[in-house]
Each structure stands twice: as structure tokens, then as C-alpha cells.
């Protein structure tokens, strides 16, 4: 039932994009800066993950009996600079590019959705979206920083859990190969459980974070001021009540999609390719990720409007029941 609801939401988002050529073109142009930056960022990320994967071999003493040529090409001190570079790229340029792109996608999608099929001029769409972005940019930045603070520990948890598990697994496999299998199974279960818990929490929270960002772009108080930060996240939780499982499945689909798109380049080490094909393949999967990102945010806009309408109708029904109760008394 929940999967059916998710697919229906994705269908409505896809129809909204494909049924309006001007919206599709506008979203494409808005995503270009993020697309260009992500190619460079993903190549840096691939190198960092590759070095982190190879790092345990530099810290294990195999007594000269085991030599792995592919891993001896990288000095031990290469990992830290790449880790710092990738982290800085994520915290500063990526956050700004993503903030601008997401704000424009949400604003333009909401304008087209609220028009209820009426034809819109391209210039009008651009001007309205830019105006919303200008007014809400500070509030969206505050919400984005709140989300960044909440999500960063989870990302570091993913990274260090994976590296620590691989280090211990390598240590057991090559240096203490006579260790009992039970110890290896226990280590795998512990780290696997940590990874699954982090994944479940991240996906669950990300649904509320995304709707909270949509609230920061589109919602305003009675005095005309925007709603942002923790207030936007709280309001997103209020809107999402009753649809937690649907939102969880939707975020899980996009999360798995992003992971699957990255796996081939990580496996074949596209960042180490010297013939240019690595950057080409990276650009291809980055393009697919950008398309998925657009669909995700349009789906969040559709979900926001549906939830907001449902909450308003519920509030009107409660007010009407209260008035009838007072009238009978």
C-alpha cells in the first residue's frame, strides 16, 4: 500500500515536469551549475573512498609474505589531504550550489502546481521563482545549516563505520587468519547493525528535512515572514503525520538510486582513469543523479501541497464541529 502511494506521488511529480516544457527547461537550466560542480566533487569523493579502502593495507605488517602492488602506489599520508579537500568541498561550495538549485526547483514547481494547468509565460516563471528565492534565501540557508548540522554526524558515522569494519576484517583475514570464524561474524554483525541503524535514521529524518526545506521556501506566517530553521522542521513533522511510512519508502528509493549510480565508478576507479573515460562515466551518472534530484524535490512539493490541503481541511472540519457544538449549547 505504501509503495503504491509512493509510485503515485512519483507519477504526479513526473507528469508535472513533463507536461510543462517551460518548467522542464527551467529546471534543467537551474541544475546546470550543480551538475558541473558535482562532476569535480564526485571525482574527489571517488579518490577519497578509494584511498580509505586501501588505507588498512598500509598499516598492516604482512611479514613480507603478502604483497599487493595496487595498494603500494599510494603513500599513507595521501588520505588525510583528500579527506580534508572532499569535506571542504561538501561543506562550502556544494551546500551553496545545492541551496540555490533546490530553492529554484521548489519555487518554480510550486508556481506551476498552483497554477492548476494554466499556461505560464517563461519570463513570469523566472521572475516569480527568482523573487521567491531572493525573499526566502536567508531562511532557507538557516534551515539548510540546521539540516547540515544534523546530517553531518550521520555521514561521518557511515564513513568511520565502513573504514573501521574493513580495517578489522583485513586484520583478521591476513594477519590473524587463524582466528575463529565466530569473531569475524560478531564483528560483521556489530558493524552491519550500526550501518543499518544509521541508514534507517538518516532516511527517516531526511524525509522531514526535505519537507522542512520546502516549508522554508513556500510557507509564511501571518505577518508575511518566512518560517525557517527548527520551526520549519517542526512544521514539516506536523504536515507529515500519518504519512511517515510513505515518506520513508520514497527517501529510501532515492537513496538507493544514488548509491547504485555511484557503485560502477567506485568499483572501476573512474577517478584514476587517465584516458578521460572516467570523467565521462562520472558525468553520466551525475546527470542521472541530478535528474533524480529534480524528481525528488518536485515530489516533495507535491507532497507538501497535498499534506497542507489535508491539514487545512481537517482544521476547517474541527472548527465547524466546534461551532455546531457551541450553537447547540
Amino acid at each position: 500500500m505504501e509503495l503504491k502511494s509512493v509510485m503515485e506521488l512519483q507519477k504526479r511529480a513526473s507528469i508535472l515536469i513533463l507536461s510543462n516544457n517551460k518548467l522542464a527547461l527551467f529546471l534543467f537550466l537551474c541544475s546546470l551549475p550543480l551538475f558541473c560542480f558535482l562532476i569535480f566533487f564526485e571525482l574527489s569523493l571517488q579518490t577519497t573512498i578509494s584511498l580509505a579502502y586501501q588505507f588498512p593495507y598500509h598499516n598492516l605488517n604482512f611479514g613480507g609474505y603478502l604483497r599487493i602492488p595496487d595498494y603500494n602506489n599510494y603513500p599513507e599520508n595521501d588520505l588525510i589531504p583528500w579527506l580534508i579537500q572532499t569535506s571542504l568541498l561538501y561543506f562550502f561550495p556544494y551546500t551553496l550550489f545545492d541551496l540555490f538549485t533546490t530553492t529554484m526547483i521548489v519555487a518554480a514547481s510550486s508556481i506551476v502546481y498552483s497554477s492548476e494547468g494554466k499556461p505560464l509565460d517563461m519570463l513570469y516563471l523566472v521572475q516569480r521563482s527568482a523573487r521567491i528565492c531572493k525573499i526566502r534565501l536567508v531562511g532557507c540557508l538557516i534551515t539548510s545549516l540546521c539540516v547540515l548540522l544534523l546530517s553531518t554526524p550521520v555521514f561521518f558515522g557511515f564513513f568511520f563505520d565502513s573504514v573501521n569494519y574493513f580495517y578489522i576484517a583485513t586484520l583478521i583475514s591476513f594477519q590473524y587468519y587463524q582466528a575463529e570464524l565466530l569473531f569475524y561474524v560478531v564483528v560483521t554483525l556489530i558493524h552491519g547493525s550500526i550501518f543499518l541503524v544509521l541508514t534507517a535514521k538518516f532516511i527517516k529524518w531526511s524525509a522531514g528535512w526535505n519537507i522542512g526545506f520546502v516549508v522554508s521556501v513556500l510557507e509564511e506566517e501571518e505577518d508575511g515572514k518566512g518560517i525557517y530553521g527548527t520551526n520549519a522542521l517542526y512544521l514539516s513533522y506536523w504536515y507529515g503525520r500519518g504519512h511517515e511510512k510513505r515518506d520513508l519508502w520514497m527517501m529510501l528509493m532515492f537513496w538507493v538510486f544514488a548509491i547504485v549510480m555511484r557503485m560502477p565508478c567506485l568499483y572501476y576507479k573512474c577517478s584514476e582513469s587517465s584516458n578521460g573515460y572516467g570523467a565521462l562515466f562520472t558525468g553520466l551518472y551525475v546527470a542521472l543523479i541530478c535528474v533524480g534530484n529534480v524528481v525528488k524535490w518536485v515530489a516533495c512539493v507535491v507532497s507538501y501541497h497535498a499534506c497542507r490541503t489535508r491539514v487545512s481541511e481537517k482544521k476547517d472540519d474541527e472548527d465547524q464541529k466546534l461551532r455546531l457544538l457551541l450553537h447547540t449549547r
Side-chain angles (χ1 to χ4, degrees), residues 269-279:
K269 301 178 182 179
C270 289
S271 61
E272 301 175 19
S273 175
S274 59
N275 54 13
Y277 287 108

Side-chain angles (χ1 to χ4, degrees), residues 84-142:
I84 294 175
Q85 174 183 299
T86 305
S87 300
L88 292 176
L89 288 174
Y90 173 76
F91 284 122
F92 181 63
Y94 173 77
T95 301
L96 294 180
F97 279 116
D98 186 59
L99 176 67
F100 168 77
T101 303
T102 304
T103 305
M104 296 298 284
I105 290 173
V106 171
S109 302
S110 179
I111 292 171
V112 175
Y113 183 88
S114 303
S115 67
E116 299 179 351
K118 297 179 181 178
L120 296 176
D121 183 68
M122 184 66 173
L123 181 60
Y124 172 80
L125 182 62
V126 173
Q127 290 177 342
R128 279 287 307 277
S129 302
R131 182 174 178 273
I132 293 174
C133 182
K134 180 181 179 180
I135 295 174
R136 305 296 184 203
L137 190 60
V138 176
C140 291
L141 179 60
I142 294 174

